[in-house]
Amino acid sequence: QHAGGFSGIIHRIAVASLAVGLGVAILSIMVLGGFQKTISSRVYGFTGHFQVQKFQMSTAYEEEPFSLKAEFLKKRNQFPFLTKVQSYAHKAALLKGEEDVEGVLLKGVGKDFDSLGFAQYLVEGRMLHLSDSGVTNEILLSKLVANKLRIVVGDKVTLYFVQQPPRFRRVTVVGIFETYLENFDEQMVIGELQTIRNLNGWTPDQVGGLELHVAEVAQMDAFAPLLEAELDYDLRLLDSRERFLDIFDWLKLLDTNVIVFISLIGFVAVFNMGAILFLLIMERTQMIGLLKAMGAKNSQIRSLFFWNGIHILGKGLLFGNSFALIFGAMQTYFQLIPLDPLSYYMPYVPIHWNWTAFLLLNLGVIVLTAVVLWIPVRIISRVDPIKSIRFD
């Protein structure tokens, strides 16, 4: 009775330790993937995966213009992996509210701007109405800048442009957006490309750059040389991952941290399985001796304990996966765990359903545990039947 009670406790501890270890490891991958996907998609949503600009020696915010009649754009059909191509231009300005003034960067967008894609960042108001001809003098302002200058949707504000001669535009704030990324929210204002064309004296077919969006982010390294090979001689290709190196290096660092974390959890969980099976073998020494005395082979007894360990492993996998999937689903739909957007760039813990990583992690735990289980069962061959039967 006592032995059976002890075995039951050991079984429960083994299942619980494996389930917790696996569940936490799966959640770590899901949360890491969520952080990476959310932050990177916001960067790409604002800048595209690649940008095409004219070669220029200076590092100024404002680009040199080039024509939409460039040979590169005529070859668009050669790149089926491109999902969107958007024209843009930047121009530095001073934004004046009722009392204060803030330095901003006006990003002018054209008719090819993906309003539906950007609408996910809109927190108040509406998107720009981009006119076929002329300008509407509408802008979108970040929530951070709007709060600083105490501006609300519907306010008319003035943009001052430092050039010769100095120019200004009176514009209406029709919407307020929030990406939670300081690089954009602190300075970016979304306006009309035609406004910048008028200020700079550009022709209707000139732009400051093109944003290229690709279908498969994982294939960006393969797409880059294909695009560069077809660029006009005076154009260059920029990679968003290099332009915002601080953000993407931080995301890579998260990768390393989670790998170390999962490795430690996996080691502890697998070691626990081996140690617990060893305890079960020691606790069943008399039974092993009795089975040997009755003619059972070592291989048969080893198989018995090995499959007992596999049974524990199966329960641990079931409970661990169930815990991770249920918690992940609840976080996805109900956002149970909030975050400080100023520190983490998002209002709640994100979840990314990476089924490939999920299956590989389960497979890795199964293989490692099965290998480790063979170590304690080797002890069975050393058990002496006579001594073990008398063992107390």
Side-chain angles (χ1 to χ4, degrees):
Q1 179 68 31
H2 174 72
F6 177 75
S7 296
I9 293 172
I10 291 296
H11 272 78
R12 285 192 289 273
I13 291 174
V15 171
S17 64
L18 187 61
V20 170
L22 180 62
V24 171
I26 292 173
L27 283 175
S28 299
I29 291 176
M30 294 166 74
V31 171
L32 167 70
F35 269 104
Q36 291 179 319
K37 186 175 181 181
T38 301
I39 294 175
S40 60
S41 66
R42 283 181 177 168
V43 174
Y44 295 141
F46 222 97
T47 67
H49 299 94
F50 298 101
Q51 299 86 47
V52 174
Q53 293 181 1
K54 193 168 184 178
F55 273 110
Q56 59 188 61
M57 299 302 293
S58 68
T59 56
Y61 287 117
E62 301 180 22
E63 305 87 6
E64 291 290 328
F66 66 91
S67 174
L68 290 174
K69 297 176 183 177
E71 289 298 318
F72 172 74
L73 285 171
K74 296 177 183 178
K75 303 173 184 176
R76 165 75 189 272
N77 293 335
Q78 295 182 22
F79 312 114
F81 51 82
L82 288 181
T83 57
K84 286 185 293 186
V85 177
Q86 300 179 164
S87 53
Y88 71 91
H90 290 105
K91 193 166 184 66
L94 293 174
L95 175 63
K96 185 179 184 304
E98 288 296 325
E99 300 175 3
D100 300 322
V101 176
E102 186 78 14
V104 296
L105 189 64
L106 175 65
K107 178 181 180 179
V109 297
K111 290 289 291 181
D112 51 11
F113 179 59
D114 182 15
S115 297
L116 290 177
F118 191 82
Q120 62 182 306
Y121 308 121
L122 203 65
V123 293
E124 290 181 51
R126 61 169 173 83
M127 294 299 297
L128 300 175
H129 288 159
L130 296 167
S131 174
D132 290 320
S133 60
V135 292
T136 59
N137 290 321
E138 297 178 347
I139 63 168
L140 301 177
L141 206 57
S142 76
K143 187 176 180 180
L144 188 64
V145 173
N147 289 342
K148 276 185 183 180
L149 300 180
R150 296 188 289 278
I151 296 172
V152 297
V153 172
D155 283 357
K156 290 188 177 294
V157 295
T158 305
L159 285 169
Y160 293 92
F161 301 94
V162 181
Q163 60 184 82
Q164 290 298 330
R167 309 283 290 275
F168 72 91
R169 288 289 185 274
R170 191 73 173 162
V171 294
T172 303
V173 178
V174 297
I176 293 177
F177 66 87
E178 187 172 33
T179 69
Y180 301 112
L181 297 176
E182 293 178 3
N183 304 58
F184 306 122
D185 287 352
E186 281 187 343
Q187 60 179 3
M188 201 67 72
V189 173
I190 308 296
E192 296 167 279
L193 177 56
Q194 191 57 46
T195 297
I196 297 179
R197 285 189 181 125
N198 294 342
L199 289 167
N200 291 345
W202 294 355
T203 60
D205 68 324
Q206 286 186 311
V207 298
L210 298 172
E211 292 175 352
L212 309 182
H213 294 256
V214 300
E216 294 291 335
V217 178
Q219 299 296 317
M220 284 178 64
D221 290 331
F223 296 151
L226 299 177
L227 294 167
E228 286 179 328
E230 300 298 332
L231 284 180
D232 299 57
Y233 72 94
D234 59 341
L235 300 181
R236 60 175 177 165
L237 187 72
L238 302 176
D239 190 323
S240 291
R241 295 171 299 179
E242 295 176 2
R243 286 187 62 194
F244 302 98
L245 199 59
D246 53 339
I247 294 176
F248 287 97
D249 274 352
W250 176 63
L251 294 179
K252 285 182 181 178
L253 184 62
L254 285 179
D255 252 337
T256 305
N257 292 344
V258 169
I259 289 171
V260 172
F261 180 61
I262 290 175
S263 299
L264 290 174
I265 289 177
F267 173 79
V268 171
V270 171
F271 178 81
N272 279 350
M273 282 295 297
I276 285 169
L277 190 59
F278 177 78
L279 286 175
L280 290 174
I281 291 171
M282 295 302 294
E283 193 256 342
R284 295 289 186 178
T285 302
Q286 286 183 325
M287 185 189 78
I288 293 171
L290 184 60
L291 289 172
K292 283 191 174 186
M294 295 174 64
K297 296 178 181 179
N298 284 329
S299 60
Q300 292 176 314
I301 302 174
R302 280 199 296 265
S303 179
L304 178 66
F305 278 91
F306 176 78
W307 288 108
N308 185 39
I310 293 296
H311 177 69
I312 295 172
L313 172 63
K315 282 188 174 180
L317 291 175
L318 175 63
F319 292 131
N321 284 304
S322 299
F323 164 72
L325 295 176
I326 291 172
F327 185 87
M330 292 180 67
Q331 180 62 24
T332 299
Y333 293 108
F334 303 109
Q335 290 91 48
L336 301 177
I337 304 177
L339 292 175
D340 177 12
L342 296 178
S343 301
Y344 296 97
Y345 310 121
M346 57 197 74
Y348 58 86
V349 173
I351 296 293
H352 174 53
W353 298 91
N354 187 340
W355 297 110
T356 301
F358 173 80
L359 293 173
L360 288 176
L361 186 59
N362 274 273
L363 184 61
V365 169
I366 292 170
V367 172
L368 283 175
T369 306
V371 171
V372 170
L373 287 178
W374 276 113
I375 298 174
V377 298
R378 303 301 297 178
I379 300 170
I380 292 171
S381 61
R382 300 183 182 181
V383 175
D384 186 286
I386 298 175
K387 290 181 179 179
S388 60
I389 292 173
R390 294 171 58 190
F391 178 76
D392 190 355

